[in-house]
Every structure is written in structure tokens, then in C-alpha cells.
Amino acid sequence: MTGIKDVTGLVAVVTGGASGIGRGIAQRLVERGAHVVIADIEQGPLEATAEETGAVGIRTDVTDPASVRALAGQVVERFGKVHLVFNNAGVAPESRLADMTLADWKWILDVNLSGVIHGVDAFLPLLKRHGEPAYLVNTSSMGGFVADMPGLGAYATTKFAIMGLTEALSHELEREGSNVAAAVLAPGTVRSNIARSLRTRPGGARGSSFVQNDISQNEELAKLRWLDPTEVGDIVLAALARGATHIVTHPEWYPMVAGRAAGIEEAFNRAATLTGGDL
């Protein structure tokens, strides 16, 4: 897979497409001539974004596999095929792991992880079927590399899982010589409304340990480089053009990831010493 440099005329699907990163990706795809379907659980924002960007809006609940399969069916019925799929819908509420209920776990896993799995299940066969160059992009996070984020342990759990899923899928597709490539998107700080994730939880936050803080209001975090969602769209399309498997928005954060890698190397070195083996 050498990448997709021109998206003109291609059919793209973006979940979580009514706002934030999803909207930014969708907007850039429309501007570059793609036929874009945005999927979102919130009907009002979905309709408004579709009208403003020129995309087609289809209400979808990514936690429901039947809903995602229905989305795929409607896309194929309307356009005949699909080339680009962005499994992007996600939530980021905060809680200490020790305080979480099983209901809390189920909700965040259903949205962040099962939502991606449902997208792969519904769309991968369609991406393969036509044999033309195609891409499947799953949104993880910098939290998919590093788990030391106070209150976001459950979020990191889901994003680490998405990282592993996508890397494994990428290797499988490469080994089989598929027309489809897979990439994982790991964004850093982006201006979006993910800080209001609890608005989409069925029943709201009643009986939940989750709270929702706007990290952009944190004095230290506010000093970081914050991207507009359309800037993420530009980064993503440039990455697809070069055939990337990992898409990072904040390269300046690499020392944080490297620190984790150093810790892993130390663990392996210690294990080698204890077992008499070589690293």
C-alpha cells in the first residue's frame, strides 16, 4: 500500500463526524472533492454539520452493531462503495479507576472500543470488496501511548486497546497484500467538545463516578499547543498520502512516549539479568 494522495471522488465515512476531530477530517475531505458521510449520535449537531460542510449526515449509535451495519448499508446503497473509513467517535470522562462502577466501564468501553470494533466489522469487508486503494483509520490518542493522565485511566485503557487492534490489523492486511491499509490516529490537544462527553451517556451521569472537566481550562495544559480540528484533518490526509500506519499530531510530545519506552527497556534488561538471558 503506497498511500492515497488524491481523495477526489472517493467515498469516506467519519463517525463522531458532527464535531471536533471528526468534523475537521470531514470538512477537509469535502474540500478536496470526496463524497463524505458523517455519522453521529446527536441528531441536531449532525444535521447542522452536514448542512455547513456539504457532507451527508446519518444518525448512528456506534455502540450498537446493527446501527453501524445499517450505516454501512446506506453508504453502499447511496454511493456503491466506500474507500475511507474513520472510526473516530469517542468519549473522555474522568474518574479514578477505583471509583468506577461496572456501568461506567461498560459505557466507555462500548463507545470507545466497541465502536471501533463495530466499524471494522461493518466496513472492512466493503473496503476489500472493490479492490481499489482504501484506508481504515481508527482514532486512539496520545493516551494510547502513555497512561499517566490523572482521571483518565479508563480512557487510556480504551485507547491502548485501539492502538493494539489497529497495529495488529495493519500487519494482517500487509501480509495478505490487501488493497486496504490501516492506520491509528493519536491526537494530542485539540479544540473540541469531547470535554462534554457525558451529554451523550444514556441516563446522564446519575449513579456514576464520572465527572467532566474541560482540560483546556487547566492552567498548565492551556500552555500546550492546541490544534483546530481542521488542522488535524490536514495532518491525517497528508499521512494517508504517504501511506502512514501511525498518525501523530504533536511530535513535540515524543519525550513522554520515549520515557515509557525506556521503562519497558529497563524491565526487559532486569528480566534478562534475572534469567541469565540476553536482551
Side-chain angles (χ1 to χ4, degrees):
M1 184 75 182
T2 58
I4 296 179
K5 296 180 172 60
D6 185 4
V7 300
T8 305
L10 300 188
V11 179
V13 177
V14 186
T15 68
S19 62
I21 290 173
R23 176 177 176 141
I25 293 172
Q27 182 173 328
R28 287 303 193 235
L29 284 166
V30 170
E31 290 169 355
R32 299 188 189 188
H35 304 292
V36 181
V37 174
I38 55 173
D40 205 280
I41 196 169
E42 294 189 286
Q43 186 67 42
L46 177 66
E47 292 176 354
T49 298
E51 182 176 355
E52 291 164 7
T53 63
V56 174
I58 298 177
R59 187 183 181 280
T60 305
D61 179 357
V62 298
T63 71
D64 179 2
S67 181
V68 180
R69 291 190 189 119
L71 167 67
Q74 290 180 69
V75 172
V76 172
E77 181 179 1
R78 181 171 185 133
F79 295 105
K81 62 183 71 172
V82 59
H83 303 88
L84 305 169
V85 174
F86 299 86
N87 290 312
N88 170 76
V91 293
E94 298 179 34
S95 173
R96 291 194 328 135
L97 296 179
D99 297 332
M100 287 178 61
T101 66
L102 289 179
D104 292 333
W105 274 112
K106 185 177 188 309
W107 176 61
I108 195 169
L109 287 168
D110 280 351
V111 177
N112 286 5
L113 181 55
S114 294
V116 171
I117 293 170
H118 296 158
V120 173
D121 171 74
F123 283 100
L124 184 57
L126 302 179
L127 293 170
K128 289 183 173 183
R129 189 163 72 189
H130 52 66
E132 301 168 10
Y135 239 113
L136 193 153
V137 180
N138 298 326
T139 300
S140 177
S141 167
M142 287 301 295
F145 290 117
V146 179
D148 185 14
M149 302 181 297
L152 292 173
Y155 174 80
T157 298
T158 64
K159 296 304 182 177
F160 266 74
I162 292 168
M163 190 75 68
L165 182 159
T166 311
E167 289 182 351
L169 178 60
S170 177
H171 289 304
E172 287 183 7
L173 294 170
E174 184 178 5
R175 279 194 293 269
E176 69 185 49
S178 177
N179 64 300
V180 184
V184 61
L185 169 60
T189 42
V190 180
R191 298 183 190 93
S192 73
N193 64 356
I194 199 169
R196 296 190 295 114
S197 297
L198 286 174
R199 73 193 187 282
T200 64
R201 181 175 181 172
R206 291 193 303 272
S208 171
S209 67
F210 282 136
V211 296
Q212 196 73 80
N213 296 312
D214 185 351
I215 64 171
S216 68
Q217 301 303 309
N218 178 285
E219 186 175 339
E220 290 303 313
L221 294 177
K223 298 175 184 177
L224 299 175
R225 184 167 62 95
W226 287 77
L227 297 181
D228 183 84
T230 55
E231 294 179 277
V232 179
D234 290 332
I235 291 168
V236 168
L237 291 183
L240 300 194
R242 63 177 184 271
T245 57
H246 293 75
I247 308 170
V248 176
T249 62
H250 288 68
E252 67 269 29
W253 291 11
Y254 177 71
M256 178 172 59
V257 179
R260 175 176 181 271
I264 293 172
E265 182 179 0
E266 179 184 355
F268 274 91
N269 275 318
R270 186 174 294 277
T273 300
L274 294 173
T275 61
D278 296 321
L279 181 61

